[in-house]
Amino acid sequence: MDTIPMSEDIDQRRRRFFGIAAMTIAAAQLGIIKPADAQPGKSKLPLIKPQANPSFGSLKQIDAGVLSVGYAEAGPSDGPAVILLHGWPYDIHSFVDVAPMLASEGHRVIVPYLRGYGSTRFLSSEAARNGQPSAVAVDIIDLMNALKIEKATLAGFDWGARTANIIAALWPERCKGMVSVSGYLIGSPESEKAPLPPKAELAWWYQFYFATERGRAGYEKYTRDFAKLIWQLASPKWKFDDATFDRSAAALDNPDHVAIAVHNYRWRLGLADGERKFDDLDKKLALSPVINVPTITMEGDANGAPHPQAAAYAKKFTGRYEHRTIEGGIGHNLPQEAPQAFAEAIVDVVAQA
C-alpha cells in the first residue's frame, strides 16, 4: 500500500480489444449490473460485472531502460494511449475488467508489471534492486519511449498512483491526463520524518516491520499470506475469492519482489539509500510540486488503507480537476472493485484534455 505524503497541505495528519460487438455479447452473457458509483462519470461504458474477465490472455515483453517489462495490451495500436499502473501487493489484474472497457472505446491500453512483479525482470544481474519511487516513474517513461508513446493518460492506485503523480509533475509533456486513487501521493524521506499520533502510526505497521531483518525474512517466507492480509485490511468489504487472489499473487513470485518492496519502504523512512542518478528528481519531488494536467482523483468509501482526505490535496492540482467518491463498500483496490467507475473516470479525463 502507498503512504500518505507529508506535503505542505497534509503534513498535519499526514483498433479495440474485443470490439463493441464483442463487448455487447459479453455484457449479455455476464448480466447487466449497477455500477458501484455514487458519483457517476459523464461517460457511459458497456456495463460489466467486476471480476468478469479471467485473464488478459497472452502478455508481451519489451526491453525498456534497465528492465525487460512484461505487459498486457488491449485496443487499437493507433488509439490514444492509456497506461494503467498497479500497486503493492497487487498486480496487472487489478485492471483486467477496466482494460476491455477502455479498448472498446478505441484506446490503446498498456498494463505493465512494475519492477519486481510478474514477468518484468532486470536486464543486468548487477542492477540495484531499487524500489525508489522516482526509479519506478523513470521505468514508465522508459517503457513509453520503447513503445513509441509520446503522450499517455496515466491511471493507477497505490504505488501506481504515486508513479502517475510523479510523471505528471515532472514530465507533464508526457501526460495527457491522470486518474489517481487517493489523490496526491508524492512524498520524500524528509517529509516523513515527523511522527504521527500512535493510532496513525499503527496503520503503518508493515513499514516498521520491513525496516528490520526479521521483517524482510518474514515477508520472504510468508509473501502470499502477507499480501492476502494486506488485501483484507485495505478492502474490508471486498469479498474476493481464492482464485482472484491467487491469480495476482503469482506476480509476487518474481525473484526481485521482496528486495524491491522492502527497499521502497525503507527508503521512504530514510533507512536505505537510493541511487544517486535519481537525486535531482528527488530534490524536485521533495518540494511537493503541483500537478497541472487534467486530473480526476478517486476514493472508495471503504478504503481500509490510511489515506488523506480529498480536501487535503485538492490545491495540489492546478489544472482541470475533479474528485469522485465511489460508494458501495469500495476499498483500496478501486479499479478491481469498481472497474466501471474507474474506466469512466479515465474516459472523462481524456475528454477534458
Side-chain angles (χ1 to χ4, degrees):
M1 291 185 292
D2 221 318
T3 60
I4 301 173
M6 296 294 291
S7 71
E8 58 186 294
D9 297 308
I10 64 173
D11 62 3
Q12 295 176 353
R13 291 285 187 190
R14 286 222 296 201
R15 218 185 262 168
R16 304 177 176 254
F17 185 41
F18 296 120
I20 294 175
M23 285 300 297
T24 302
I25 293 170
Q29 292 173 337
L30 296 168
I32 300 301
I33 62 168
K34 270 186 173 181
D37 189 350
Q39 204 170 2
K42 302 176 182 63
S43 302
K44 292 301 174 186
L45 303 179
L47 292 173
I48 190 168
K49 186 184 298 182
Q51 304 182 51
N53 296 295
S55 72
F56 283 104
S58 60
L59 301 181
K60 298 183 178 182
Q61 205 79 22
I62 192 170
D63 290 353
V66 300
L67 300 173
S68 172
V69 179
Y71 67 101
E73 182 168 3
S77 60
D78 59 350
V82 176
I83 300 177
L84 305 177
L85 301 168
H86 68 82
W88 172 86
Y90 305 91
D91 86 322
I92 63 174
H93 291 95
S94 291
F95 307 104
V96 72
D97 294 319
V98 173
M101 284 189 278
L102 296 175
S104 76
E105 293 292 301
H107 296 284
R108 180 188 183 187
V109 186
I110 306 295
V111 194
Y113 282 113
L114 300 185
R115 55 170 62 195
Y117 294 81
S119 60
T120 293
R121 297 288 189 276
F122 286 91
L123 295 173
S124 170
S125 61
E126 303 302 317
R129 272 44 180 176
N130 177 6
Q132 205 171 347
S134 53
V136 180
V138 170
D139 289 344
I140 302 307
I141 294 293
D142 288 338
L143 176 63
M144 292 174 67
N145 293 339
L147 293 172
K148 296 179 170 54
I149 296 173
E150 184 60 32
K151 199 167 191 176
T153 299
L154 304 174
F157 71 106
D158 197 83
W159 287 28
R162 180 182 288 252
T163 302
N165 287 184
I166 292 171
I167 294 172
L170 299 186
W171 298 280
E173 72 280 2
R174 306 301 300 271
C175 183
K176 183 176 183 180
M178 180 174 65
V179 173
S180 178
V181 176
S182 297
Y184 187 89
L185 296 173
I186 295 174
S188 68
E190 186 63 29
S191 69
E192 296 196 19
K193 283 184 178 179
L196 299 174
K199 188 175 181 180
E201 294 284 15
L202 178 63
W204 306 123
W205 64 273
Y206 56 91
Q207 296 190 81
F208 300 113
Y209 184 60
F210 286 166
T212 68
E213 176 55 25
R214 178 187 178 93
R216 187 210 60 77
Y219 188 50
E220 183 174 50
K221 183 175 181 178
Y222 300 107
T223 306
R224 293 200 179 198
D225 291 339
F226 199 105
K228 182 175 280 191
L229 175 60
I230 294 295
W231 281 37
Q232 292 165 341
L233 294 174
S235 299
K237 297 186 178 181
W238 183 30
K239 305 304 179 184
F240 60 88
D241 57 23
D242 288 343
T244 297
F245 173 76
D246 291 342
R247 181 181 60 182
S248 288
L252 310 183
D253 294 337
N254 182 294
D256 300 312
H257 175 73
V258 172
I260 287 171
V262 169
H263 180 268
N264 177 283
Y265 290 109
R266 289 182 180 180
W267 180 88
R268 294 192 202 182
L269 293 175
L271 300 176
D273 289 334
E275 292 181 84
R276 298 281 73 84
K277 63 183 179 180
F278 300 117
D279 282 355
D280 288 345
L281 298 180
D282 287 337
K283 288 176 183 177
K284 295 176 182 178
L285 296 173
L287 299 176
S288 298
V290 298
I291 293 172
N292 59 22
V293 305
T295 297
I296 294 176
T297 58
M298 307 185 76
E299 193 60 79
D301 66 337
N303 185 0
H307 56 276
Q309 296 300 307
Y313 53 71
K315 291 181 180 179
K316 303 305 295 185
F317 299 98
T318 58
R320 296 191 63 174
Y321 173 69
E322 178 186 348
H323 178 78
R324 298 178 183 179
T325 298
I326 311 304
E327 297 182 351
I330 304 304
H332 191 60
N333 187 1
L334 193 152
Q336 195 164 0
E337 298 176 59
Q340 192 82 29
F342 193 78
E344 287 178 353
I346 294 169
V347 173
D348 289 344
V349 84
V350 170
Q352 296 174 9

